[in-house]
Amino acid sequence: MTFDYAHLLPIVPEIAVLVLASILLLVDLWLKDEDKGTNHLIAVFGLLVVIGLTGVVGGGEREIVLSGSYIRDPMSDVLKIAVLVVSLLSFVYSRDYLRDRGLWVGEFYVLTLCAVLGMMVMISANSFLTLYLGLELLALSLYALVAFERDNPSGAEAAMKYFVLGALGSGLLLYGLSMLYGASGSLELGAVARAVAWQGADNQVLVFGLVFVVIGIGFKFGAVPFHMWVPDTYQGAPNPVVLFLGSAPKIAAFALAFRLLVDGLGQLHADWQGMLVILSVISLAVGNIVAIAQTNIKRMLAYSTISHVGFIFLGLLAGTTEGFAAAMFYAIVYALMAAGGFGLLVMMSRQGHEVERLEDLKGLNERDSWQAAMMALVMFSMAGVPPTVGFMAKLLVLDAVISIGLWWLALIAVFFSVIGAFYYLRVVKIIYFDKPEVIEPLVVGSGARVALSVTGLAILLLGLFPAALLTYCQAAFA
Amino acid sequence: MENIYLTIVLAPLLGSIVAGFFGGRIGRAGAHWVTILGVGLSCLLSLYVLKGFVDGSLPVFDGAVYTWMVSGGIQFEIGFLVDQLTALMMAVVTFVSLMVHIYTIGYMADDEHNWPKGSLAGKNSYQRFFSYISLFTFSMLMLVMSNNFLQLFFGWEAVGLVSYLLIGFWSVRETAIFANLKAFLVNRVGDFGFILGIAAVAMYFHSLDYREVFALAPQLANVQIQVWGDTSWSLMTTIGVLLFIGAMGKSAQVPLHVWLPDSMEGPTPISALIHAATMVTAGIFMVARMSPLYELSETALSFIMVIGATTAFFMGLIGLVQNDIKRVVAYSTLSQLGYMITALGASAYAAGIFHLMTHAFFKALLFLAAGSVIIAMHHDQDIRNMGGLRKYLPITWITFLLGSLALIGFPGFSGFFSKDAIIEAVHLSQVGGSGYASILLTLGVFVTALYSFRLYFLVFHGQERMDEHTRHHLHETPAVVWVPLVLLAIPSVFIGWLSVEAVLFGDWFKGVILVAPHHDVLAQMGAGYHGQAGFVLHGMLALPFWLAMGGLALAWYIYMVNPAIAAYLMVRFGTLYRILDGKYGFDQMNMALFAGGSRGLGKLFWKTGDQQLIDGTLINGSAQGVGWIAERLRTIQTGYLYHYAIAMILGLVVLLTVFVTF
């Protein structure tokens, strides 16, 4: 097989991100401390260019290049753009925080961009190897980012926990992949799917491998009982890292799950459906219930993530195009909401102290009513209150589950959502009805202000006009 | 024609909207002009329509104007059925309404005195009042012009709503609020039966259209429906009784009559319009309209007759002991409504409608005249403080006298024809309960004359018992008040003579009201009918006439000749007096049993059900439960890495065990 440069065309966005990371690495060497703003500008504009490139090379039928290890299809276009936009938002949110904390160094951007690259590779992976490569690139960058504030012991502890458990999770996934390779004789997803179809779904080795794969996916998502790293990591990591860690990777995790379970092991739907049912139910239960007992807002949002993962799994396990579209919609919307929620924490934390307790939000409305309104919007959306997009997302997922006859599962999900509404609404109550402990108004940079407004309005507008995003999600599986 | 009918309905609505929403901008004169013009137009067109039916130039109109929705094969439409019955009702409603509109200009002129200073509700109250009465006219027209049950129900509820708004018009008065709530709740009871009746119609006829329902009715005449196991009822009786329960609420029949006397808390013009002349007759109209259904159930007719006769006699008795001028007239209204209902029970629908029409005129007249007295007396309504008003209010006096004569059925006056026809018809009726009804109605004539002339003598004759200040200011009310009195007095006297032949014995209602041949008492009467004069002569030889004269004479004797006897009788028949004064205890029973019972039940549900069970156990309990579980679960998150790893491995083991079976 001859190498054709045209085959590189679909990979241009990934190459661009790599180039961008390399440029930043080099430029940072020559920058004085007071000029580090240049890093930020390069990263932001670079990402804008990549988004443009992704849009340009995207569209059209699916293409499989590089000897079947890379795929570009409508789903990957949408997911990549979503990942890039959310990453861009997190850069904008974090700017002032990093500057004030003396963290404004090139490495932050380089590591984050490497993570972005990893996610993009995962999204476009068409073989076990590419998938694992992307996953590890993402994971290793994140381990380093969590420990980014080197002198902070809790950050180091969080990173260590994340790393060890992440290694365990990756190991389990890899073991599962090797089983599947053994049973199917191929690494390429399409070939695996054909092999599975030929062998039939009752091959115990396949199911054995599948269990490990599902656990790997569950770990990446943070589904119970593979969620233990999530609260501790969120709590220990610096806020901008949590912002990034808690948002974009969920989109990539969706891609991981879809590529493995549907593209590769679609024939084993009956098996992984059962596993996801178990994981989603206990994730919904534990996530929503334990979140209530949290006084640390980062931990609360961590448990909230776990419960949202339960919802994403609900859409996936339906196994219908409707369900996949719903899950994809949910993952993207969740990333957006998480970016908004953590973004506000980042914005509030700048002056000397880290905002992480619920009390820190007291009376936010009196300090800055616009930010308060945006935060309230995010909370309503996470709770699933119409007309925010969080409601639409939940509705679509539940609809998908009910349409395959699992109405009891939908009932459970709704039941736990009701419980979950409590801690979201408590945040709203704290913002609006409690007296502030600090009275000085928030000082927020214009970039972050714009980013938060964009997030909040997107949550509202997508709720009113969900078709703007939903049609793309549905087209991805048409 | 459709456009004319639409105009008749919509003109008052438009007036109401303008006066209601833009009352502040157009001012008082603007508000009364716009509503009077709207209702006046309606009235003129209604008279035109009536004339069209009188000379036979107009055909019956039955058509849909607008399809609201179609659900389960049933069409929900807005439509008009305009025939002789409707035309008559339209003319009566719009004419009385127009009179009341004009009269209101005078009656409400000083309305600001009825409100506390600076009260928000008192702002533009004059305009609001006009808006309400116009809205009422619209609602009533929708009710009578409907060609289907849905629109009937709409009109039914709309008049109820406006009635509620108007009884409590002076919303700063405790008693007014009590009265309008009472009226609303009691009407709820009736409406519940009414809507069940409509539901039964929709269920068995699969249509809400009058024409279709009436056409299908004979086929369903013998259908029995199952209720509670083996008990089965006749469908027609069930529908008839349920619909009639609605009529009992709206037309204030025992035991749902309790709201009407209290509704006198509203301003007098609406007492005349709503609680005497029009809205309360909705029940009578409805039953007459449904004659094709009622004719199929003798049980329902008996039920109607017994209820009507009971109301007619026993409510009249209460009128004897009332001292509030409006309440006497109110009890007289209850009694007269009872007469109409009894006529319906005897299948003399035409007689019932005929009495409805004559009553509308003379009762509106009596109410408005009473209002005129009240204006002159500076809103003192106690007849014990009146007396000798004849010379101060000559026009009010003469019109009130004419109205009273019409009410007691003095020969030649309109009430004579209609009431005599009812008594005669009930006498001839063979329906069960007609013997009882006949006796009560006949005795009722005596009672009617007695309370009417007791009122008349106490107010207009005898000693002047008002205080010096009031006497000093007594004078005839302004023209906007007395002109409507005169205009209403004319039909009160003559309408009976003019229309008795056509309405009762002619073919006015032919094809509109259906009467089974073996029920047709009016036809029997018609056989012996030889002109108005003959009817009058015949009436003067009959017992009711002498009873009426006896009542009149007795009232004259007791209240003019020998006033001491009234006090003596009160002591002598103390028990009877207390029973009547206590209105047979209906109010106490309602307050204790229904109001008290529901409040008790509500309190029980609130305290134990809501506060303890739902809030305490379910809501707070589950919240605490969740919080407790959350506290336990969070301890799993120990912070130790090896615990986390173990959790993952355990998860792995469980999934392997469940899904991989070796």
Side-chain angles (χ1 to χ4, degrees), chain B residues 322-389:
Chain B
Q322 293 297 312
N323 288 319
D324 181 316
I325 183 168
K326 280 176 73 180
R327 285 191 182 243
V328 178
V329 189
Y331 279 101
S332 131
T333 303
L334 283 175
S335 170
Q336 297 307 307
L337 289 168
Y339 274 90
M340 298 175 212
I341 294 281
T342 315
L344 301 173
S347 288
Y349 303 101
I353 294 291
F354 186 47
H355 194 51
L356 183 164
M357 176 177 73
T358 58
H359 174 261
F361 292 121
F362 63 68
K363 190 49 64 67
L365 168 62
L366 284 174
F367 259 116
L368 294 184
S372 173
V373 170
I374 293 169
I375 299 175
M377 291 292 295
H378 293 279
H379 293 267
D380 184 353
Q381 307 190 358
D382 195 329
I383 53 175
R384 285 168 300 191
N385 299 333
M386 298 176 187
L389 290 179

Side-chain angles (χ1 to χ4, degrees), chain B residues 463-480:
Chain B
Q463 231 180 342
E464 298 173 10
R465 294 177 298 272
M466 68 291 289
D467 58 41
E468 207 43 53
H469 174 78
T470 311
R471 190 205 320 273
H472 189 68
H473 287 98
L474 274 178
H475 58 82
E476 183 57 86
T477 42
V480 285

Side-chain angles (χ1 to χ4, degrees), chain A residues 13 47 50-52 54-55 73-91 115-116 119-120 123 243-244 246-255 327-339 455 462 468-470 472-473 476:
Chain A
L47 277 184
V50 178
I51 292 172
T54 314
D73 56 9
M75 183 185 89
S76 74
D77 295 338
V78 178
L79 289 178
K80 276 183 207 170
I81 290 181
V83 163
L84 290 166
V85 168
V86 172
S87 307
L88 179 66
L89 280 176
S90 71
F91 280 160
V116 171
M119 289 191 270
M120 292 170 80
I123 289 170
L243 161 61
F244 180 71
S247 52
K250 293 290 173 283
I251 301 175
F254 169 79
M328 181 170 162
F329 186 79
Y330 202 109
I332 294 174
V333 163
Y334 174 72
L336 197 64
M337 297 189 296
T455 317
L462 281 177
L469 177 60
L470 190 59
Y472 289 107
C473 296

Side-chain angles (χ1 to χ4, degrees), chain B residues 486-507:
Chain B
V486 173
L487 289 177
L488 282 167
I490 297 167
S492 298
V493 177
F494 297 112
I495 193 79
W497 182 280
L498 292 176
S499 58
V500 61
E501 195 166 326
V503 173
L504 285 189
F505 308 116
D507 52 6

Side-chain angles (χ1 to χ4, degrees), chain A residues 179-202:
Chain A
M179 283 291 158
L180 294 178
Y181 176 62
S184 67
S186 175
L187 288 174
E188 197 202 331
L189 293 174
V192 172
R194 282 191 296 278
V196 174
W198 179 71
Q199 292 182 9
D202 44 358

Side-chain angles (χ1 to χ4, degrees), chain A residues 311-371:
Chain A
F311 262 100
I312 296 175
F313 277 2
L314 286 184
L316 272 174
L317 67 85
T320 55
T321 55
E322 185 198 2
F324 298 141
M328 181 170 162
F329 186 79
Y330 202 109
I332 294 174
V333 163
Y334 174 72
L336 197 64
M337 297 189 296
F342 286 117
L344 186 92
L345 299 186
V346 172
M347 285 155 61
M348 288 180 70
S349 322
R350 285 185 301 105
Q351 284 93 7
H353 94 122
E354 192 92 344
V355 167
E356 53 182 13
R357 293 174 310 140
L358 278 169
E359 291 95 87
D360 294 334
L361 290 175
K362 272 187 182 172
L364 178 64
N365 183 44
E366 289 176 36
R367 299 171 63 195
D368 191 328
S369 56
W370 177 250
Q371 315 284 356

Side-chain angles (χ1 to χ4, degrees), chain A residues 429-471:
Chain A
K429 177 232 165 203
I430 288 172
I431 290 176
Y432 279 94
F433 300 106
D434 286 3
K435 285 273 155 243
E437 287 169 350
V438 197
I439 43 161
E440 72 260 26
L442 278 180
V443 183
V444 178
S446 55
R449 191 174 279 273
V450 169
L452 188 64
S453 308
V454 167
T455 317
L457 291 179
I459 285 169
L460 194 59
L461 288 176
L462 281 177
L464 293 172
F465 311 103
L469 177 60
L470 190 59
T471 43

Side-chain angles (χ1 to χ4, degrees), chain A residues 226-240:
Chain A
F226 317 106
H227 68 290
M228 299 287 209
W229 62 275
V230 180
D232 289 19
T233 308
Y234 279 26
Q235 188 185 4
N239 281 353

